[in-house]
Amino acid sequence: MPHLKIDFDLLKKICETPGAPGFEDPVREVVADALSGVADELRTDGMGNLIVRKKGGSRKVMAAAHLDEISLISTGVDKNGFIRFHTLGGFDAKSLLNQRVIVHGKQDLPGIIGGKAPHTQSDEEKKRTPKTTELFIDCGLSEQEVSAVVPVGTPITRSQVLSRIGNNLSCKSLDNRISVYILIEALKRATVTGVDFYAVFTVQEEVGLRGARVAAHAIQPEVGLALDVTLANDLPGADTHQKISILGEGTAIKVMDGSVICTPKLVAFTEALARERDIAHQRELLTAGGTDTAALQYLTGVGAQVTCISTPTRYLHTTVESCNVADVLSGIRLTQAFIEQIHTYFKD
């Protein structure tokens, strides 16, 4: 097998292309273009999920990696030209303050998320986290200039470029663009599969697993594999049991999260694949949060057997999410092995 390395230019394009929940069109086009000629079928469903199918057998298997990123949506423009907004996905307001954003109106506008200056805050205000309703976006323009191009309901994404930092990659929206990239590369490398394999790049995961629910209901897979990030709390001050996953120790195989308990037999199968191919891996047990794994399991109508290949990631839901290059490559190799070998799972 040729030596794997990161296609930095492709990953950069995937990470930096906007795709707010419900507004995933730009990033979906990037993914569709990257997979041109790779599969037997490539289509977009009514909700916006990109469905990529590789034929190979009668058993249906579905993989899911969500396209959307936590984002904002405009609720109005005040008399001074400042945009008010609502969140799309889970944010800690502290991570929003003083960040650069792009307002995707009739034309893109750069902006800055501002709040009350610390010099004018009361002692009580300094002690608490600001509410998102107290924050605003400053585009440096008048009310008339902003209102002309930013109607209510305009999506807003964070502005950050993909960077190499030591052995790591850092950017906004590695949740879940790193998994999108992993699934693309695995599909390119998987030479054959013995099942009817559906790779679905799902929409609106960050606001309730909505795209995966629709796709899983339509496809009715017997086995589901999600690809997402997981918390790497391998930081100063964290006890061993709080780390969840550790950067540099391999791709993570999910046992459970706050929304799902994975199928033990499928977890064991995936771990066995990793051992057979000498792929660095670790177990993931996250007691909070949820991923498309849950939608694959109990919203399929057949009760699919599920697990998830997770990429350990630090500083989740910030603009500096960070993952390790070696872990990403392990994720590509394990996902490729899963696509090629999942047909043997049904023979047990």
Side-chain angles (χ1 to χ4, degrees), residues 121-140:
Q121 291 177 10
S122 66
D123 290 341
E124 185 60 33
E125 286 174 324
K126 290 178 181 178
K127 292 177 184 177
R128 67 173 177 84
T129 299
K131 299 177 182 178
T132 55
T133 52
E134 297 172 326
L135 304 179
F136 49 82
I137 295 171
D138 181 357
C139 293

Side-chain angles (χ1 to χ4, degrees), residues 216 220-224 263 293-306:
Q220 300 279 296
E222 295 177 72
V223 167
T263 308
T293 319
L296 291 170
Q297 183 184 55
Y298 59 83
L299 294 167
T300 62
V302 297
Q305 300 182 53
V306 297

Side-chain angles (χ1 to χ4, degrees), residues 60-261:
K60 289 184 179 180
V61 175
M62 174 178 160
H66 72 88
L67 292 167
D68 59 310
E69 57 184 314
I70 56 170
S71 304
L72 311 171
I73 190 165
S74 69
T75 58
V77 180
D78 71 19
K79 63 181 182 180
N80 295 309
F82 297 115
I83 300 169
R84 301 293 178 157
F85 60 84
H86 180 69
T87 55
L88 296 176
F91 280 97
D92 179 347
K94 293 193 299 293
S95 71
L96 280 172
L97 191 59
N98 305 323
Q99 295 293 331
R100 294 182 184 273
V101 296
I102 303 172
V103 182
H104 302 286
K106 296 175 183 177
Q107 66 185 61
D108 282 356
L109 295 179
I112 298 166
I113 300 178
K116 194 173 182 180
H119 311 75
T120 62
Q121 291 177 10
S122 66
D123 290 341
E124 185 60 33
E125 286 174 324
K126 290 178 181 178
K127 292 177 184 177
R128 67 173 177 84
T129 299
K131 299 177 182 178
T132 55
T133 52
E134 297 172 326
L135 304 179
F136 49 82
I137 295 171
D138 181 357
C139 293
L141 299 170
S142 69
E143 177 191 7
Q144 293 75 17
E145 291 171 308
V146 176
S147 296
V149 294
V150 184
V152 168
T154 294
I156 302 159
T157 59
R158 298 162 301 158
S159 178
Q160 182 62 277
V161 298
L162 179 68
S163 302
R164 299 179 190 267
I165 300 179
N167 297 320
N168 297 342
L169 299 162
S170 181
C171 195
K172 59 93 179 175
S173 306
L174 287 180
D175 176 12
N176 189 38
R177 303 299 174 74
I178 196 65
S179 301
V180 168
Y181 172 76
I182 286 170
L183 186 51
I184 289 171
E185 293 295 340
L187 286 166
K188 287 179 177 179
R189 287 169 169 76
T191 55
V192 68
T193 184
V195 299
D196 199 8
F197 191 87
Y198 294 80
V200 183
F201 297 87
T202 62
V203 297
Q204 298 191 43
E205 189 269 356
E206 295 289 1
V207 290
L209 318 184
R210 298 173 187 174
R213 291 169 185 251
V214 169
H217 182 74
I219 293 169
Q220 300 279 296
E222 295 177 72
V223 167
L225 175 72
L227 290 93
D228 212 318
V229 297
T230 190
L231 179 65
N233 193 32
D234 54 344
L235 303 169
D239 292 333
T240 300
H241 71 280
Q242 297 174 314
K243 295 184 187 300
I244 312 302
S245 65
I246 300 173
L247 260 64
E249 293 201 357
T251 192
I253 299 170
K254 187 184 294 291
V255 176
M256 69 165 281
D257 62 31
S259 67
V260 68
I261 298 173

